[in-house]
């Protein structure tokens, strides 16, 4: 096990396999463990447009036991706000409470202050044990010392136990810690486990005294670093195994034999205290979550809506991009409404294609939000569904409004009667919902925005090429017909043409070549010729595929096309 993986394992964040057991107060880790512990990641994972007090308040609201009457109970509200203010003040964040957290692209608080906000979120959750993964990483020596001093104060004032992974702390910072656990790099083997104040004497006893003027922490790390010329890894590991390991193991066994309070007992004691003062709580003490799902959904939806409205630059960009696209496409298809219905087909296809492509730009933002959701859900602040529902609703509202602006403008340029617009918009909406779901699924598995773009290209090529317009059913190889059948653009375009151009002009009429019925017959001719022979096969394939939400739409479209034949 690499040494750097230890905080992730202890905090229950490690997803890969590992061996061993984790105990808290002599009790094996259980489902309530995340509610009495908290994890501070190496990076400050927060939305850049959220305010400092909002970030802290959000965590407190969903992690601390709340009375059912908290919304209407003045005492409960006052107590909650007092807790927020107290923690912000103690961590030196009172003056920046109404400032954005910020990022590389968004102006906000400094890096040191951002680190303290992350620490504040971990502390205000009410956790009794705090796991910090390199909390001083990326900070100046001054900011690093301030952060560790604040952690030291919190341990004394709140009775917290803070477990910190730190590399190369300066002498003043190292002296603030009470206990030192020193591991080799890979694999992580123990070489020291004892009081920080006794470490220098221990190493001197082994024949490795700290040189004059050297930083003791740096010297300790050099001795267990494989790249250091004078490393003493095997000697230190062997000594620990022979003389220290048995004593540590005896302490562990003793703690297991006489356990302290369990996670449930800790939570029950705290909940009883709050309930005695403020009334019944929203959730029982043995619940994995401190807040019910309805409260989670309100909190997450409210935060996402606030952030959406606050990020005006992004909103302006979305709608300005839609307008620019509409002008370019509109100029290219200007007055296409005066052409024959068949000549209008490229315009319809281009509108759907542009709407589909616009969904790709949301993937980088989805990946960034996914990382935040991952940390918050692992801390049991809320269920994944609360975040998914909120982002699905808000993201689709914004994207479809931008799409609507685009379509309204291109229709104005094309001079196609607006009486056709409702049906046109409905079918393109269904197609875009399906393709946006595909992009969301890709964003859920990709690690970066660039990787998501690469993964999205092959399925997007299928959708844009095998759609009955560029590659038709009559022209495609028989073994590739399935590619057209699974393309949402194919079914959307077929139904759009039927909805817009159905005028029942008979074939013998002189107006038939310019009629909408002629376009429908041309589009459907290839479908009719091949669909009967393959309808049962396609339906059987659809019955076996998942997810159902996409395939139900495809199935409905296939049934409508079959009835028309």
């Amino acid at each position: 096990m690499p040494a750097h993986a230890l905080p992730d394992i202890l905090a229950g964040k490690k997803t890969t396999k590992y061996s061993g057991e984790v105990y808290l107060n002599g009790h094996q880790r259980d489902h309530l463990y995340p509610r009495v512990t908290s994890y501070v990641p190496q990076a400050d994972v927060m939305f850049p447009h959220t305010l400092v007090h909002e970030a802290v308040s959000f965590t407190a609201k969903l992690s601390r036991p709340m009375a059912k009457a908290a919304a209407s109970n003045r005492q409960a509200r006052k107590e909650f706000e007092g807790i927020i203010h107290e923690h912000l003040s103690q961590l030196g964040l009172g003056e920046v409470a109404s400032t954005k957290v910020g990022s590389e692209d968004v102006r906000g608080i400094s890096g040191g202050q951002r680190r303290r906000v992350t620490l504040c979120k971990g502390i205000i959750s009410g956790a009794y044990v705090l796991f910090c993964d390199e909390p001083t990483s990326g900070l100046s020596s001054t900011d690093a010392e301030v952060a560790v001093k604040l952690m030291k104060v919190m341990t004394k004032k709140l009775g917290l136990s803070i477990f910190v992974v730190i590399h190369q702390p300066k002498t003043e910072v190292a002296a603030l810690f009470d206990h030192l656990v020193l591991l080799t790099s890979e694999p992580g083997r123990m070489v020291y486990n004892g009081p920080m104040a006794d470490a220098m004497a221990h190493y001197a006893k082994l024949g490795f005294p700290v040189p004059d003027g050297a930083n003791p922490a740096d010297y300790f790390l050099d001795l267990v670093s494989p790249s250091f010329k004078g490393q003493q890894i095997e000697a230190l590991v062997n000594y620990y195994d022979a003389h220290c390991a048995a004593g540590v193991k005896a302490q562990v066994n003793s703690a297991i034999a006489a356990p302290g309070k369990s996670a449930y007992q800790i939570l029950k004691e705290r909940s009883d205290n709050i309930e005695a003062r403020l009334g019944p709580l929203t959730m029982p003490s043995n619940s994995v979550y401190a807040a019910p799902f309805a409260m989670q959904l309100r909190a997450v939806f409210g935060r996402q809506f606030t952030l959406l409205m606050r990020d005006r630059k992004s909103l302006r960009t979305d709608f300005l991009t839609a307008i620019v696209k509409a002008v370019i496409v509109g100029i290219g298809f200007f007055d296409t409404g005066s052409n024959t219905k068949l000549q209008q087909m490229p315009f319809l296809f281009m509108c759907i294609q542009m709407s589909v492509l616009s969904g790709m730009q949301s993937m980088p933002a989805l990946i960034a939000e996914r990382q935040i959701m991952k940390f918050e859900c692992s801390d049991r602040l809320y269920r994944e569904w609360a975040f998914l529902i909120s982002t699905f609703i808000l993201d689709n509202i914004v994207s479809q409004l931008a799409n609507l602006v685009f379509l309204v403008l291109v229709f104005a340029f094309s001079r196609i009667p607006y009486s056709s617009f409702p049906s046109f918009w409905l079918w393109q909406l269904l197609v875009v919902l399906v393709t946006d779901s595909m992009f969301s699924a890709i964003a859920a598995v990709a690690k970066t925005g660039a990787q998501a773009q690469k993964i999205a290209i092959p399925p997007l090529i299928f959708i844009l090429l095998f759609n009955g317009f560029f590659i038709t059913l009559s022209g495609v190889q028989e073994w590739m017909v399935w590619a057209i059948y699974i393309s949402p653009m194919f079914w959307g375009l077929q139904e759009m043409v039927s909805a817009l151009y159905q005028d029942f002009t008979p074939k013998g009429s002189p107006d038939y070549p310019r009629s909408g019925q002629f376009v429908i017959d041309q589009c459907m001719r290839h479908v009719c010729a091949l669909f009967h022979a393959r309808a049962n096969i396609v339906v059987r394939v659809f019955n076996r595929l998942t997810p159902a939400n996409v395939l139900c739409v495809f199935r409905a479209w296939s049934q409508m096309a079959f009835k028309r034949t």
Side-chain angles (χ1 to χ4, degrees):
M1 175 195 70
H4 61 78
L6 185 58
D8 293 344
I9 292 174
L10 294 178
K13 309 298 182 184
K14 196 70 176 175
T15 54
T16 55
K17 282 189 175 183
Y18 58 88
S19 59
E21 299 292 341
V22 177
Y23 289 83
L24 178 67
N25 280 351
H27 298 274
Q28 195 168 0
R29 183 170 60 187
D30 59 13
H31 68 289
L32 295 177
Y33 184 82
R35 287 197 57 191
V36 294
T37 62
S38 189
Y39 177 72
V40 177
Q42 182 177 353
D44 299 311
V45 185
M46 291 177 284
F47 289 101
H49 286 280
T50 190
L51 305 183
V52 170
H53 75 85
E54 290 175 343
V56 176
S57 177
F58 179 84
T59 300
K61 186 184 300 182
L62 295 179
S63 60
R64 302 177 71 92
M66 297 285 288
K68 291 181 179 179
S72 58
N73 189 316
R74 183 177 179 182
Q75 180 186 351
R77 291 201 309 272
K78 188 176 180 179
E79 180 178 313
F80 180 78
E81 292 169 2
I83 292 172
I84 302 297
H85 178 74
E86 181 183 3
H87 280 73
L88 290 174
S89 299
Q90 288 175 346
L91 289 168
L93 297 169
E95 294 182 357
V96 295
S98 298
T99 306
K100 289 182 180 179
V101 169
S103 65
E104 294 180 357
D105 303 319
V106 179
R107 185 176 180 180
I109 57 179
S110 67
Q113 291 170 329
R114 197 175 299 124
R115 179 92 300 216
R116 278 180 269 158
V117 174
T118 303
L119 287 171
C120 190
K121 289 173 60 182
I123 293 170
I124 205 169
S125 65
Y128 292 85
V129 182
L130 194 63
F131 299 101
C132 301
D133 186 7
E134 298 189 40
T136 59
S137 178
L139 300 182
S140 66
S141 59
T142 302
D143 285 336
E145 185 174 354
V146 169
V148 176
K149 280 183 177 179
L150 288 171
M151 286 190 280
K152 180 79 170 181
V153 171
M154 291 296 108
T155 60
K156 303 299 182 184
K157 188 166 185 176
L158 301 177
L160 282 172
S161 294
I162 303 181
F163 180 95
V164 178
V165 171
I166 191 169
H167 297 294
Q168 295 181 316
K170 65 179 186 177
T171 305
E172 294 81 1
V173 171
L176 293 170
F177 291 97
D178 300 316
H179 198 91
L180 173 65
V181 175
L182 188 61
L183 303 175
T184 61
S185 57
E186 291 191 27
R189 294 179 292 172
M190 194 83 70
V191 296
Y192 182 78
N193 184 351
M196 174 66 81
D198 298 343
M200 291 182 64
H202 173 80
Y203 276 84
K205 185 177 70 173
L206 298 182
F208 308 112
V210 178
D212 293 337
N215 182 341
D218 287 343
Y219 182 68
F220 297 157
L221 288 173
D222 287 341
L223 291 177
V224 293
S225 298
S227 58
F228 182 62
K229 187 176 181 180
Q231 59 90 5
Q232 299 291 334
I233 295 176
E234 294 304 322
L236 292 173
V237 169
N238 292 336
Y239 182 87
Y240 180 86
D241 290 341
H243 299 90
C244 306
V248 173
K249 188 174 182 180
Q251 292 180 30
V252 172
N253 292 333
S254 175
I256 295 174
K261 293 179 181 178
S262 66
Y264 172 73
Q265 290 171 329
I266 293 172
L267 292 171
K268 185 71 167 62
E269 185 177 293
R270 183 170 62 179
S271 298
D272 289 344
N273 182 28
I274 297 174
E275 192 168 6
R277 292 183 292 107
L278 303 175
L281 303 181
T282 56
M283 294 291 281
S285 301
N286 61 349
S287 172
V288 176
Y289 299 94
F293 181 75
M295 183 183 293
Q296 296 173 18
L297 184 59
R298 283 198 303 270
V300 175
F301 188 90
R303 180 185 65 175
Q304 297 306 114
F305 179 77
T306 299
L307 295 176
L308 178 65
M309 294 295 102
R310 192 173 288 158
D311 189 6
R312 296 181 181 179
K313 181 179 179 181
S314 218
L315 287 174
R316 284 196 298 266
T317 301
D318 288 343
F319 285 94
L320 184 60
T321 302
I323 293 172
V324 172
K325 287 193 303 183
V327 171
I328 296 173
V329 175
I331 292 174
F333 290 95
F334 185 76
D335 197 27
T336 192
S338 62
N339 297 331
T340 64
K341 299 295 189 295
L342 189 61
Q343 291 172 331
Q344 294 174 17
M345 285 291 294
F347 169 74
L348 300 181
F349 175 81
M350 180 58 66
C351 288
I352 302 177
Q353 179 177 260
M354 296 301 292
S355 298
V356 168
L357 290 174
S358 65
M360 288 189 68
Q361 65 189 25
S362 65
M363 289 195 294
L366 289 174
I367 292 173
E369 291 177 353
R370 182 191 69 192
Q371 186 180 11
I372 298 175
M373 180 198 73
K374 175 184 173 182
F375 280 111
E376 292 180 338
C377 288
S378 66
D379 282 339
R380 302 299 189 270
L381 295 185
Y382 53 80
R383 298 179 186 273
E384 289 85 351
W385 277 108
F387 188 87
L388 295 175
I389 292 172
S390 300
T391 53
F392 175 81
I393 293 173
L394 293 173
D395 290 350
N396 272 287
I397 288 176
V398 173
S399 64
Q400 293 310 320
L401 283 176
N403 237 354
L404 185 61
V405 170
F406 165 75
L407 295 173
V408 168
L409 291 177
V410 293
F411 250 70
F413 276 97
S414 70
R415 294 184 179 178
I416 293 177
Y418 272 103
S419 58
S420 306
F421 185 80
S423 297
F424 171 81
W425 178 79
L426 174 63
W427 286 109
Q428 76 80 33
L429 172 64
L430 292 175
V431 173
V432 169
L433 286 177
V434 173
T435 54
D436 279 359
S437 298
M438 179 189 74
F439 293 136
S440 297
I442 292 172
V445 298
K447 292 183 178 180
T448 64
Q451 186 185 50
Q453 301 280 357
K454 293 177 182 178
I455 296 174
I457 288 176
L460 190 61
I461 290 175
F462 269 92
I463 291 174
L464 296 181
L465 285 182
F466 294 89
N467 51 36
F469 184 79
F470 283 136
I471 298 179
T472 64
L473 280 170
S474 61
V476 71
Q477 294 293 324
E478 184 174 354
W479 51 274
M480 282 298 295
V481 172
W482 61 269
I484 293 182
Y485 284 146
I486 68 170
S487 172
M489 286 189 67
F490 168 72
W491 300 108
L493 197 60
Q494 297 295 326
E495 295 303 325
M496 192 178 293
V497 168
S498 298
L500 266 61
Y501 298 149
Q502 187 83 55
D503 56 14
F504 301 104
T505 303
K507 290 186 178 181
S509 171
D511 297 329
Y512 177 72
R514 292 180 57 87
S515 69
Q517 191 62 46
F518 175 76
V519 178
I520 294 174
D521 292 343
Q522 290 297 310
C523 289
M524 297 303 299
R525 181 167 57 86
H526 304 302
V527 180
C528 296
L530 295 175
F531 194 88
H532 282 296
R534 299 187 176 95
N536 292 331
I537 298 175
V538 172
V539 170
R540 284 201 298 271
V541 171
F542 283 167
N543 279 332
R544 295 177 184 176
L545 292 177
T546 56
N549 59 333
V550 175
L551 295 180
C552 283
V553 176
F554 288 167
R555 198 178 217 177
W557 284 338
S558 66
Q559 289 171 350
M560 285 188 287
F562 182 79
K563 289 178 181 178
R564 185 173 289 110
T565 61

